[in-house]
Amino acid sequence: MNTIQPVLRPAIMALMLASASAQATWTRQSPLPYPPQLNADEIAFSGSRGYIVGANNLLQETTDGGTTWHERVLSGPLYNEGLYGGVTFFGPTNGWIVGQKVSWSNACFRTVDAGATWTQMASIPDSDWAHVDFVSATHGWVGAPWVLYVTHDAGVSWSAQNFGVLDRIDSMNFFDDNVGLLSAAGAIRRTQDGGQSWTVVHNHDAFAIEWLDAQTVIASTQSFGGPDFARSTDAGLTWQTIQVPGVVLQEPVRIDATTVMSGTPDGDLYRSTDAGLTWQPAWSGGTGGTINGGSFTSPTEGFILESGNLILRTHDAGQSWAYASSGFGMEFEDVKMFDDQRGLVVGGGGTVMRTVDGGNSWTPTRPGWTLSNHSPLMDLSLVAPSFAFAAGDNGTLVKTLDGGITWQGVAAPTGYPNGGTGDYWACSFVSPTEGWMAGEYLEITHTTDGGATWQQQFVGGSSADGAYDMDFVDALHGWIVGTFDGVFATVDGGASWNFHAFPSPGPFARAVDFVNPLVGWAAGRDGWVARSTDGGLTWTQQNVPGVVPGTTNLFSIQALSVNECWAASTDNGRVFHTTNAGNTWTELTTTFHDAYDGYTGIAVTPNGDVWVAGYRGAVSRFGAPNLPFPTFCFGDGTGTQCPCGNDSATGSEAGCQSSIGSGGRLTATGHAALSADTLALHGSQMPNSSALYFQGTTQSAGGAGTVFGDGLRCASGSIVRLGAKVNALGVSGYPGVGEPTVSAKGAITAPGVRTYQVWFRNAAAYCTPSTFNLTNGVEITWGI
């Protein structure tokens, strides 16, 4: 049982009510772009249009400068059959994409209209083209294993060149018509005659080469001693090794002649402002994904690609970075929600994803404790309002006390069969201090101090025996399922455990969830589901229609009441639901039916929203769409001027700048329906001070705002104070756990329009003698 759940009405009723304002549908939430679309390797832009290519048979395109991405089919149904390996642009209109040989021809294309249309370069012979580089709108090269071709007419015609060896080209980069560098056969080779002849200049492989100016070039290299980094200041004639203690640098990305970015195998970014001579940390996402490439579209705007389908973006020449994509392409094992807006997903590589806006965005992170082994986290347990514990392979245990913002490692039990570095696949906590954990050897351990110490309660077998899931509804009653045809149950907090068999034939169960000490469900392989009404002593198998033996494996389940239960399958995005105690089950059409959509975790919240997570980073949601609500009254000079020139950045959609150097920002998510109010207000970019969320009936000065303190008053008319908060890390929100809904607190009883804003303390007296400021405004249209 998810211990945060109150007694719930059937979730399907909430979905029906929510549909009064927005039809409930399935939406893919993470990652975007998702793995079957993309395994990001290279990125290139021409103005606001850009392309990402990678190790999948699809091409991703953006037409809004990288804010959103979609699949682009170049021409005809077969043209996305091949794997695209390289993409580049020169100037505002000319671009080239190259790829592998496919059944019909090569996958190599050119554009002369900035990507509006593409033409196949049929004159390139069939090969697995992975590299493309142009030094002008007409002169460029393409490379593949053992072959190099050059063009002087923008790719209309091509001719072969000999680079001295028959070997794979690892990387190449030309500075101009004559001088270029190429890595093959364990060495960097240099040409000064446009590729007609080549000379070995460095005896290391180079997997990325980047020219900074006519003399300075850096390369991510590989020697017998392992990865290293090389730098030349004489146009590639001689090289020196650059070392950053404890850091492996790879994939340099040029910003300008002196500024360059590089990444590490753990997904961290480093920045150099002296042409690659010294390096400083610039980003620590902690996701463990390798850096695959990048592109800067201006001196300040740039993108970095990270494995796992992550796209990072900077607006300040690489000094700071944020995710431009949602999610992470790892295997996910479990998803849980604290409430309608806040939730966590755990999975491969020790990765955790966090949402605070109902899934509109997911931020990946990796608790530092797991960096040493990158072991997967297998199970997740939440306790309201902000405690979570996750258990995984190789003794990987972590917990958070602040809803997933920060994490701390938990030492695994020692001295037991599964102790220290064993695999833990199941956990369940009833409070931030008391919980249970189980794994290999069917070993069950118990803690009463948040994992500081553990006490063994039960050992039931060999290393081949294990627990896949466990659930406690209180400090006394708990159940465990796993590699055995039944359930182990306790009624005394684990002091004793008793085995109860499933109806024959009973499979290995993978999921168990109880709603009270008596009623619960278990699920497992081949679409098997059973229900107990006596605390697990006996079980009645139930019929789930349409299951396919050997395929429809139900590895996740959530019971909401004695009558309602949800189950998700690893079989191509199938989700099942009952509201009559399992007498009948209904399959919900998810619209996602490919190998990507195998679900191993499910979470359902009181308003009826359903989240599923699983294979290759899949996270999808069933519910009424969380549509963005309009914001207004920005402190960026577009309306009323801020009181002392303290304008926020243009386009930031925030209030006037405060002492922390940015304007406070207010957004809203959820459903603004009086019958199913899940609206949530999210304040950010504020000092760590007190904040007051309030409601108005009109927009001040027609939406332009009026000067008030250090900022602008946006919401006016009849004012209602919703709630006082204290910002943490510049963030707060309303409503919190247990607080009245926005419509209830705002006394909204009929459809209509309301405006919202946050007043916050800014004691630094940053601008005027006043010591307060405000965010932008948000307008909400309430429905029935």
Side-chain angles (χ1 to χ4, degrees), residues 638-663:
T638 56
T640 301
Q641 296 295 308
C642 291
C644 56
N646 55 324
D647 291 353
S648 57
T650 301
S652 61
E653 297 188 356
C656 296
Q657 191 177 110
S658 72
S659 62
I660 66 172
S662 61

Side-chain angles (χ1 to χ4, degrees), residues 96-99 101 105-110 119-129 131-132 134 141-144 147-151 154-159:
W96 301 264
I97 293 175
V98 298
K101 173 185 176 180
S105 185
N106 70 66
C108 300
F109 301 88
R110 59 187 289 262
T119 302
Q120 185 190 10
M121 296 186 289
S123 60
I124 297 182
D126 296 343
S127 189
D128 292 338
W129 302 101
H131 309 283
V132 56
F134 274 73
W141 291 260
V142 292
V147 289
L148 178 69
Y149 271 66
V150 63
T151 182
V156 175
S157 62
W158 295 83
S159 57

Side-chain angles (χ1 to χ4, degrees), residues 579-617:
T579 57
N580 57 9
N583 291 322
T584 59
W585 285 81
T586 301
E587 180 176 357
L588 278 77
T589 302
T590 65
T591 71
F592 307 132
H593 295 289
D594 56 41
Y596 169 80
D597 295 287
Y599 301 133
T600 54
I602 189 168
V604 188
T605 52
N607 74 331
D609 288 342
V610 182
W611 280 265
V612 287
Y615 295 168
R616 288 191 280 177

Side-chain angles (χ1 to χ4, degrees), residues 221 262 417 423 499 548 630 635 641 709:
T221 53
S262 183
D423 295 336
F499 178 77
V548 180
Q641 296 295 308

Side-chain angles (χ1 to χ4, degrees), residues 58-78:
L58 295 171
L59 180 69
Q60 285 295 301
E61 178 188 60
T62 179
T63 55
D64 55 15
T67 301
T68 61
W69 296 85
H70 55 268
E71 180 186 343
R72 172 70 186 271
V73 177
L74 296 184
S75 178
L78 292 178

Side-chain angles (χ1 to χ4, degrees), residues 425 439-442 461-468 483 508:
W425 302 322
E440 284 185 304
Y441 299 93
L442 191 52
S462 67
S463 60
D465 300 311
Y468 285 134
T483 57
F508 290 171

